[in-house]
Amino acid sequence: MLKLLGLVIVVLIVALVVFIRTRPDRFRVERSALIHAPADVVFSMINDFHQWGRWSPYEKLDPNVTKRFEGPRSGPGAVYAWSGNNKAGEGRMTILESRPGEFVSMRLEFFKPFAATNQGTFKLVASEKGTHVTWSVEGENTLMGKAISAFLDMDALLGKNFEEGLANLDAAVQAETPKPELEARAPSLKVVPAVAH
């Protein structure tokens, strides 16, 4: 009986490993939102890691997190490293490329609770009502990532954080810039007068 039980356990473990290995090799999570501010205002809040404490949902994971900034204050080469509790973990973000009012790309390195390197991107598109921001992260699905994704919906889990972060970003930029200034800096609408017949 014990021999049969042991055999069943081995078969289940092998089946689980095989299932985990069939999970996708790469992942991508993306969310978009309208931020009610001009693209240059939104860009400055994303392109400067010193501003992330005002809107990033990950900042509240550990109020006592240790932060370290390196390189230039903003733009390519700017680095934000952190070390915190089990929820915050330990890692580093480095801005690789940025185009004012359009795009910020960064490398995301995680050291704890487990190692991973991903690509983070913010795309900004100006509109008459503000700026459409798309926040995405993608990378290789490690064996640990595949195992986690077999039991948790990572898109829903990370996506919820992105949605919260974009809502926070909207609130932060509106608090940063007085409404009359936002309206003055918003793209103007061309009004074509009616022609009398």
Side-chain angles (χ1 to χ4, degrees), residues 30 32-33 37 48 57 97 103 112 128 130 136 139 141 144 148 153 155 159 162 164 175 182 184 188 190 192 195 197:
E30 178 180 298
S32 298
D48 180 356
E97 182 184 357
F103 179 86
K112 294 179 182 179
E128 293 176 349
S136 65
N141 232 351
M144 178 64 74
I148 293 172
D153 184 347
D155 182 83
F162 285 13
E164 179 185 348
L182 284 177
S188 59
K190 290 185 178 180
V192 180
V195 178
H197 294 284

Side-chain angles (χ1 to χ4, degrees), residues 22-182:
T22 63
R23 303 296 294 168
D25 291 329
R26 294 190 64 78
F27 76 94
R28 178 180 176 84
V29 177
E30 178 180 298
R31 294 293 187 273
S32 298
L34 175 65
I35 308 300
H36 298 86
D40 62 326
V41 176
V42 180
F43 174 81
S44 66
M45 196 74 73
I46 297 170
N47 195 48
D48 180 356
F49 285 137
H50 297 82
Q51 301 295 329
W52 279 49
R54 302 175 59 189
W55 62 269
S56 173
Y58 299 105
E59 292 282 333
K60 66 181 185 182
L61 294 177
D62 181 2
N64 301 313
V65 67
T66 300
K67 304 177 190 178
R68 189 176 74 253
F69 299 97
E70 300 172 2
R73 180 177 178 91
S74 63
V79 174
Y80 173 20
W82 75 91
S83 179
N85 60 20
N86 291 336
K87 289 184 178 179
E90 183 179 346
R92 178 173 59 217
M93 296 187 290
T94 305
I95 295 180
L96 302 176
E97 182 184 357
S98 63
R99 294 194 296 270
E102 296 180 8
F103 179 86
V104 178
S105 171
M106 59 193 67
R107 181 173 59 246
L108 309 173
E109 299 171 278
F110 302 96
F111 310 128
K112 294 179 182 179
F114 39 81
T117 300
N118 301 321
Q119 177 86 16
T121 306
F122 290 85
K123 292 182 180 177
L124 289 68
V125 177
S127 74
E128 293 176 349
K129 294 184 178 180
T131 306
H132 287 280
V133 177
T134 300
W135 182 4
S136 65
V137 65
E138 59 186 312
E140 181 183 349
N141 232 351
T142 62
L143 186 60
M144 178 64 74
K146 289 182 179 184
I148 293 172
S149 69
F151 302 100
L152 293 174
D153 184 347
M154 295 306 293
D155 182 83
L157 193 63
L158 289 177
K160 182 179 178 182
N161 291 333
F162 285 13
E163 290 163 12
E164 179 185 348
L166 290 169
N168 293 345
L169 179 60
D170 188 34
V173 294
Q174 290 189 67
E176 172 78 10
T177 312
K179 190 173 181 182
E181 186 179 338
L182 284 177

